[in-house]
Amino acid sequence: MQYSLKQVEKTYKVWGRYPFLYKLACLVTFIGQENKLRKLAIDALELQQGDTVLDLACGTGLNHELLEKAVGTNGKIIAFDYSIEMLTAAKQRAVKHKWNNIIFMQGDAAELSLDEKVDGVISTLGVSAIPQHKEALKRAVDVLKNEKRISILDAQLPTGFWKIFNPVIAHVYKNWASWDYTKKIQEDLFEVVGDVKIKKYNGGTIFIATGTKT
Ligand SMILES: C[S@@+](CC[C@H](N)C(=O)[O-])C[C@H]1O[C@@H](n2cnc3c(N)ncnc32)[C@H](O)[C@@H]1O
């Protein structure tokens, strides 16, 4: 299953225009555990005040409140996304909260390049939507400082009893979120950053994979 950037653009144009609906979709995806799981993924980076963090495929900026707390006003968030509409929603959130230390960048994560190295990379529900995700992971690790971490939170289809719902879940998220559930994100992260730890939540439907650059 390979999505194109055109599909990403089309899908997220809609979600970006209705960020409150996107937020509702997140509540469903995380089965009510959204804040807890976002925080766990961010805590895994062990960010310090003053750090610079890259939020890869940042969407409407739902990680930014937690990232602001983690890096402080003297730190910096680089918010990167392909969708202009998702970035616009993230910018509006930043204005509303008076977060002045976020740099917004539009582009394809598979072509990511930054003028600086960062102290952490977070991507939540992003990698599964990025068409050339392996290249994006490689680029993300390239911009990371040595000994620093990348934390990938993403979703996978349920196993066990709940797998009877897989055809419906796959259909909905494939068409409405450009979600490619066939990607082997954990293995692909391991390819680019040897040291990876995986934790699973919500009956295995959400995982957090944390890699340290050596
Ligand atoms: C499900 S949303 C996740 C957004 C956000 N990280 C969150 O946790 O709510 C997937 C995001 O990936 C972005 N995306 C997909 N392909 C991309 C690419 N090639 N480069 C950058 N962003 C991309 C989409 O625009 C969308 O904002």
Side-chain angles (χ1 to χ4, degrees), residues 94-111:
V95 169
K96 183 175 158 205
H97 291 276
K98 300 190 171 61
W99 296 325
N100 300 316
N101 55 346
I102 308 182
I103 291 173
F104 296 93
M105 289 179 72
Q106 190 273 332
D108 178 5
E111 293 181 2

Side-chain angles (χ1 to χ4, degrees), residues 142-172:
D142 275 352
V143 300
L144 192 59
K145 292 178 189 166
N146 284 340
E147 313 300 330
K148 298 293 181 178
R149 295 184 178 176
I150 175 167
S151 176
I152 307 292
L153 178 155
D154 226 302
Q156 48 190 27
L157 286 170
T159 52
F161 169 78
W162 297 103
K163 75 175 180 208
I164 58 167
F165 295 108
N166 284 359
V168 179
I169 297 171
H171 180 80
V172 169

Side-chain angles (χ1 to χ4, degrees), residues 28-108:
V28 173
T29 304
F30 284 104
I31 325 175
Q33 301 292 304
E34 182 179 358
N35 285 351
K36 178 185 137 192
L37 295 175
R38 286 186 188 277
K39 184 167 182 332
L40 283 172
I42 290 166
D43 285 351
L45 295 176
E46 296 190 349
L47 293 166
Q48 308 291 317
Q49 297 282 298
D51 276 355
T52 296
V53 61
L54 167 66
D55 187 3
L56 190 69
C58 66
T60 62
L62 291 173
N63 289 329
H64 294 170
E65 185 167 2
L66 290 164
L67 289 174
E68 283 288 339
K69 282 189 188 137
V71 301
T73 46
N74 57 338
K76 190 165 75 183
I77 300 168
I78 301 173
F80 189 96
D81 203 280
Y82 189 72
S83 163
I84 292 166
E85 290 77 9
M86 293 295 266
L87 274 176
T88 301
K91 281 178 198 165
Q92 283 165 355
R93 184 187 303 279
V95 169
K96 183 175 158 205
H97 291 276
K98 300 190 171 61
W99 296 325
N100 300 316
N101 55 346
I102 308 182
I103 291 173
F104 296 93
M105 289 179 72
Q106 190 273 332
D108 178 5

Side-chain angles (χ1 to χ4, degrees), residues 4-5 8-9 11-13 15 22 26 30 34 38 55-63 80-84 86-87 105-111 122-133 136 153-154 173 176-179 183:
S4 65
L5 280 174
V8 167
E9 190 184 353
T11 304
Y12 286 98
K13 188 180 281 240
W15 289 116
Y22 177 74
C26 282
F30 284 104
E34 182 179 358
R38 286 186 188 277
D55 187 3
L56 190 69
C58 66
T60 62
L62 291 173
N63 289 329
F80 189 96
D81 203 280
Y82 189 72
S83 163
I84 292 166
M86 293 295 266
L87 274 176
M105 289 179 72
Q106 190 273 332
D108 178 5
E111 293 181 2
I122 180 87
S123 190
T124 53
L125 304 176
V127 177
S128 55
I130 295 171
Q132 289 180 270
H133 75 288
L153 178 155
D154 226 302
Y173 282 88
W176 294 5
S178 302
W179 183 49
K183 286 176 183 167

